[in-house]
Structure formats: C-alpha cells, structure tokens
C-alpha cells in the first residue's frame, strides 16, 4: 500500500517481526475463526480467549493492525499511516487499554486553526465557521427526521456562502472519507460526533498491535472461502490450508467483501450482499512530509484547515507528537483522483498547498516524504464505510448472522461509530459475544438484577 519495498515494509511496522507461523500448519479445528487482524478482529479474539475458548485469527497480509498501522522505518520515528486520533477518549475502549499496555495516551492540543489565504482566521471568522458547522449538523439531523433519506449535501443550509467548500470538506472527506453528495443524511445523523481527543505517543497502530499479544494469529493466511453448509461447523479455506470452526467472525472491509475475494457458501442473502455494496468505503490518504526546523511555525499536533474555494483542499496535522512530521490528509473524490495520479503528484500537491497557505517554499525545506495508498491495498480497498443515500439500515443488516454462525464485524458494522477504531473494536466484541452465546460457548447471559430492570428515570 505504500512505496516501500516488500523487505522494508516487513521490517517497518513496529514489532511486526515475521512470526514463525509461516512454517507452521494451521490448526485443524478451533471454536471460533476470526477473519482479519484489524481492530475488530483483535477485539473479537481477545473476547473469545477471555471466555476460555479456542480461536485463531486469519490475516491475509504479512502484518497485523489493518487500517491501524504505525511505521518507524520511513522516518525513524513512529508515524501512523492509518488511524492516529482517538475520538471521544473517555468512552474509547482502545484508548482506555493503552496505559495498561505501557502506551502513553496524551490529550490532543485544543488549538485548531483555519487559514484564510496566508493568514489565520480571526476569532470572529473562526466563530462564524464553527457556528456554520453547528447549523449544518442540525440541518442534517432535521433532514434525517423526514420520511425520505437525502444526501448530506442536499440537507445543508443553502446560505453557507463562502464557507460552503470548507464545511463540505470538514464534514465529508475529512471526517467521513466521502463527499457529502454521496452520503446518507440519516446515517450521518445517527453517528456520534467525533471529538479529536487524544493521541498515542508510540502510535495508535502500535497500540492496536500490542493488544494482539498472546492471541493465536496466522499471517499470510488470506481466507478465500467460508462454507457454512454444515450443521454445526464452518469450513474455511485459506491461502495456507483449510480449517474447521464452530463459528466464524468476518472483519474484512466492505470493499474487500463486496469484491468477492471471500466466497460464501451458501451465498450471502441478497440483502446482505446489497448492504456490502451500499456501505462501500470512501477514500482517505495521507501525505507525510518531514520538514526540519518547523518552517510553518506551528505548535505540536496543530490541526489546520483552510477556508477552501473548492474541493482541492486538505487537512494538516503539524509537528506530529513533537516530531518534524506533518500529515497532509486528502479524501473523497479529490483524494481518490489525486492518489490515482501517484505518489509524486500527491507529494507535489501537499508541498504546493502548504507553500500557498504559509508563503514558505516548503519544497526547499522537505527532507523526506511518504504517501499511503489505502484504496490500492488489496486487503483494505478504501478508507471507511459510508452509507449511500437510503442505506442507513444496511449496518443492521450486516449485524445479522449468516447461517447462524458466520458473524460480521468491523467499522462498517457499527451504527454510531462507523469509520473509527472504537467502532471497529466494539463491533468485534459484539460479534464475539454473539458467537459465544449462539454456540453455548462461554458464559450464558445472566438475568438482569432486579433494579436494572426498572425503567430508568430521567
Ligand atoms: C488513513 C486513515 C486514517 C484514519 N484515521 C482514523 C483516526 O484517526 N481515528 C479513528 O478512530 N479511525 C480512523 N480511521 C478508521 C480506522 O482506521 C478504521 O475504522 C479501523 O481501523 C477499521 O478496523 P477494522 O478491524 O474494521 O478493519 P481493518 O483494519 O481493515 O481490518 C481488517 C483486516 O482484515 C484483513 N483481511 C482482508 N481480507 C482478508 C481475507 N480475505 N482473509 C484474511 N484477512 C483479510 C485485512 O488485511 C485487515 O488486516 C482511519 C482510516 C484510514 C484509512
């Protein structure tokens, strides 16, 4: 997914040394097989291990973490190629696990800048932008209460004027990896707001990887077929052989599943196959620039947007974790078109965008750069799953088990926190609990204590 060579790619990921699992045969049988070692798969496997049942995580790639990936090879310091922010840290299950695993989770800086041409927005201008965002949020919520779903773009107030492109970028490509015109207002209205609250000093990808310690895991074991015809078993074919499980939890992205890389027997019901297509992942790529000497004169972890004039814009996260790295993030249609033009065009865009915003010749200050290609990664195929207009119900459809023992999990399978690590994690835990319950594995659901059954008082 990046311009690294295969050799450096393998050495690159923090702690992702190749396991001797390559030489090993897969287990013949397990209680639960988990497909995919991203946040959802790791969460599911941890839950199953905790219930005392056997599990194996089958991962197609040679590294684990999926869309969470901390690299150290490219710049010699931790660099998150994928997820880097913890949203809503107080309720974030992954952030909460950090300290107990020796990882430092630190609060994000409160400073957010809006550039207007070559200057920072004045306080009043920033207030106008934030007020417009609140108005747009409300308009989308109101639209979602209507009978028919609309696109988020249709739901926006018509009088946003000069702020419209910046608002559209912030709510669409930056927050959701897709343009608002392609997104369901009902789906966005249901999602919880994403407050960027915290970072992990060693990298969010490194933390997710650490949470997989002691979980039976097989790399380079792409699953090609899941056969659920048996009465009590699921037969799974992988690139490294076959195995039988009593249940399977599938966490591959909707992009991968819709592409047919995993064959289901019997086929998925049409409503689930349609749901995968209607929750297709958007596009979000990162251009990482190493800029020694802080030429933009920004603080650590400053987040900067511009009052853009059109869709050719980006978000800047500067001096990440106190380093010399700046992340320039692009998304949606513009991000897709730009990344299709290749790493050089992406880097040129980032350099010229920043030079324009700050009046500094960023090209002459650039030491090294790197770009991601998540949409081109054959095991990821996009950024995060947004719902097409009318498709909000698709997330619940994917929560239904297939033949009672194949469960879907992953960021797409969360109604309020889709597109996030926390949502992926929770969906994995939920699928694991469902698998354990359905097969009589693990503790049976306990009756609620009497007081819990009382209606809640407001
Ligand atoms: C650039 C970028 C920035 C992001 N920033 C943030 C952020 O700051 N904060 C945040 O909360 N979220 C962020 N996200 C979203 C977040 O990364 C994802 O929502 C989350 O990591 C998804 O986890 P998952 O387990 O659902 O899927 P994945 O991480 O995609 O895991 C699925 C795994 O399945 C594997 N797989 C696929 N097919 C097969 C197969 N056939 N057999 C076996 N294995 C297979 C894949 O290799 C992968 O490892 C970002 C995403 C991107 C791309």
């Amino acid at each position: 997914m990046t311009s690294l060579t295969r050799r450096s790619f393998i050495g690159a990921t923090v702690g992702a040394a190749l396991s001797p699992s390559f030489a090993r045969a897969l287990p013949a049988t397990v209680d639960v097989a988990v497909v995919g070692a991203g946040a959802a798969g790791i969460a599911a496997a941890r839950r199953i291990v905790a219930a005392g049942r056997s599990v194996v995580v089958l991962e197609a790639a040679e590294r684990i973490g999926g869309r969470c990936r901390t690299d150290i090879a490219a710049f010699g310091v931790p660099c998150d190629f994928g997820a880097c922010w913890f949203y809503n840290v107080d309720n974030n299950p992954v952030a909460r696990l950090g300290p107990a695993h020796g990882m430092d989770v630190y609060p994000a800086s409160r400073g957010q800048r809006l550039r207007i041409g070559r200057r920072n927005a004045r306080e009043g201008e920033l207030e106008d932008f934030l007020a417009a965002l609140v108005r747009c949020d409300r308009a989308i919520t109101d639209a979602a209460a209507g009978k028919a779903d609309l696109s988020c773009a249709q739901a926006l107030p018509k009088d946003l004027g000069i702020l419209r492109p910046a608002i559209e970028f912030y709510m669409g490509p930056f927050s959701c990896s897709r343009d608002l015109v392609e997104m369901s207002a009902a789906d966005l209205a249901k999602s919880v707001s994403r407050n960027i609250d915290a970072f992990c000093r060693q990298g969010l990808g490194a933390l997710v990887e650490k949470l997989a310690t002691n979980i039976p895991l097989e790399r380079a074991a792409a699953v090609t077929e899941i056969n659920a015809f048996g009465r009590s078993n699921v037969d799974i074919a992988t690139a490294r052989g076959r195995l039988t499980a009593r249940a399977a939890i599938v966490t591959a992205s909707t992009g991968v599943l819709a592409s047919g890389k995993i064959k289901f027997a019997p086929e998925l019901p049409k409503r689930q196959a349609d749901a995968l297509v209607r929750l297709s992942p958007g596009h979000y790529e990162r251009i990482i620039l190493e800029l020694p000497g802080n030429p933009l004169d920004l603080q650590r972890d400053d987040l900067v947007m511009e009052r853009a004039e059109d869709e050719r814009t980006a978000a800047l996260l500067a001096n990440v974790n106190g380093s010399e790295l700046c992340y320039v993030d692009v998304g949606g249609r513009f991000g897709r078109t730009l990344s299709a033009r290749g790493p050089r065009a992406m880097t040129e865009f980032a350099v010229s965008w920043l030079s324009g915003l700050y009046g500094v010749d960023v090209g002459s200050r650039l030491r090294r750069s790197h770009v991601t290609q998540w949409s081109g990664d054959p095991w990821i195929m996009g950024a995060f799953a947004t719902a097409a207009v009318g498709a909000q119900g698709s997330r619940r459809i994917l929560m239904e088990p297939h033949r009672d023992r194949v469960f879907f999990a992953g960021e797409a399978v969360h109604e309020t926190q889709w597109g996030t690590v926390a949502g992926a994690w929770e969906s994995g835990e939920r699928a694991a609990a469902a698998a354990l319950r359905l097969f009589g594995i693990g503790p049976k659901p306990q009756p609620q204590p009497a007081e819990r059954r009382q209606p809640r008082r407001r």
Side-chain angles (χ1 to χ4, degrees):
M1 53 152 285
T2 69
S3 56
L4 292 172
T5 62
R6 183 175 176 278
R7 199 156 149 250
S8 59
F9 169 87
I10 292 166
T13 305
V14 177
L18 281 181
S19 106
S21 68
F22 284 110
R24 217 169 44 209
L26 297 182
T29 58
V30 285
D31 288 328
V32 184
V34 176
V35 182
I42 292 169
R46 284 169 61 100
R47 177 61 68 95
I48 290 156
V49 168
R53 296 293 159 167
S54 63
V55 66
V56 66
V57 182
L58 303 163
E59 169 55 53
E62 291 166 346
R63 62 169 192 91
I64 65 173
R67 283 168 269 178
C68 301
R69 176 179 177 192
T70 303
D71 171 275
I72 48 168
F75 301 101
V77 291
C79 176
D80 275 312
F81 286 178
C84 64
W85 283 291
F86 292 113
Y87 298 114
N88 309 325
V89 71
D90 291 340
N91 297 316
N92 191 307
V94 181
R96 274 209 302 260
L97 288 167
H101 289 79
M103 307 297 262
D104 307 321
V105 175
Y106 70 93
S109 100
R110 291 281 156 207
Q112 260 187 39
R113 289 160 202 253
L114 181 71
R115 294 291 282 184
I116 298 181
R118 286 193 175 170
R119 64 172 174 85
N120 286 336
R122 300 188 182 98
E123 210 168 303
E125 291 165 326
L126 191 57
E127 279 301 316
D128 288 347
F129 178 70
L130 295 175
L133 270 180
V134 172
R135 247 179 359 112
C136 291
D137 224 35
R138 206 174 297 135
I140 287 172
T141 307
D142 291 348
K147 277 206 176 108
D149 194 10
L150 302 175
S151 78
C152 294
Q154 284 170 311
L156 291 192
K158 304 288 175 250
D159 59 351
L160 294 171
I162 198 172
L163 291 175
R164 191 172 184 104
I167 299 267
E168 290 203 340
F169 171 74
Y170 185 87
M171 297 183 84
F174 175 64
S175 300
C176 301
S177 77
R178 198 177 278 287
D179 291 69
L180 293 183
V181 71
E182 298 171 346
M183 285 171 51
S184 152
D187 196 46
L188 189 59
K190 204 154 193 177
S191 71
V192 296
S193 56
R194 295 168 188 194
N195 299 321
I196 295 170
D197 267 344
F199 295 96
C200 178
R201 200 174 308 282
Q202 296 86 348
L204 198 157
L207 168 55
V208 167
E209 194 176 327
K210 194 143 203 191
L211 296 176
T213 310
N214 298 330
I215 285 175
L217 202 148
E218 303 291 340
R219 295 176 172 91
V223 170
T224 51
E225 184 176 355
I226 298 178
N227 184 320
F229 272 121
R231 283 184 57 184
S232 55
N233 289 329
V234 184
D235 290 318
I236 298 173
T238 83
R240 292 184 38 218
R242 308 184 76 91
L243 74 155
T244 299
R246 296 183 66 195
I249 295 174
V250 181
T251 73
S253 74
T254 51
V256 170
L257 292 171
S259 77
K261 281 185 174 148
I262 302 178
K263 189 167 167 264
F264 291 87
E267 278 181 9
L268 294 180
K270 185 171 176 334
R271 54 198 252 105
Q272 281 192 320
D274 288 348
L276 291 172
V277 173
R278 301 183 82 200
L279 292 172
S280 66
H283 301 272
Y284 193 98
E285 304 293 354
R286 178 158 295 150
I287 304 150
I288 303 140
L289 307 178
E290 187 179 25
L291 298 176
N294 193 13
L296 307 180
D297 196 21
L298 287 165
Q299 307 292 311
R300 162 198 180 132
D301 299 321
D302 265 349
L303 179 62
V304 181
M305 317 247 165
E306 67 168 329
R307 197 175 71 187
E309 289 177 1
D310 56 34
E311 64 174 19
R312 284 167 300 167
T313 189
L316 164 69
L317 183 65
N319 306 330
V320 180
N321 195 6
S323 72
E324 295 175 335
L325 301 185
C326 290
Y327 297 170
V328 176
D329 288 0
V330 291
R333 280 181 310 210
F334 171 64
R336 182 182 57 204
T337 314
L338 182 65
S339 75
R341 290 173 49 214
R344 188 167 171 179
M346 293 170 79
T347 308
E348 279 170 7
F349 163 77
V351 165
S352 103
W353 182 69
L354 284 180
S355 301
L357 279 187
Y358 286 93
V360 171
D361 178 5
V362 171
S364 68
R365 310 296 292 269
L366 180 64
R367 185 188 284 151
R368 287 179 287 189
S369 66
H370 188 80
V371 305
T372 64
Q373 289 285 337
W374 290 105
S375 292
D377 183 321
W379 303 116
I380 304 290
M381 298 180 74
F384 18 104
T386 51
V389 176
Q392 201 283 324
S394 300
R395 301 195 190 275
R396 287 205 85 79
I397 291 173
L398 284 187
M399 287 177 204
E400 296 164 10
H402 176 52
R403 303 276 294 183
D404 291 343
R405 50 187 166 274
V406 178
F407 301 88
F408 291 100
E411 54 86 15
V413 195
H414 198 294
E415 281 201 296
T416 58
Q417 295 186 66
W418 49 266
T420 70
V421 176
W425 191 268
E426 284 187 2
S427 79
E429 291 195 324
R430 186 173 47 211
L436 290 167
R437 265 201 308 275
L438 192 66
F439 293 95
I441 299 169
K444 296 232 175 344
Q446 297 297 310
Q448 295 282 309
E451 64 272 21
R452 296 282 301 281
R453 280 197 241 115
Q454 306 286 327
R456 278 181 195 213
R457 290 214 182 132
R458 290 186 183 259

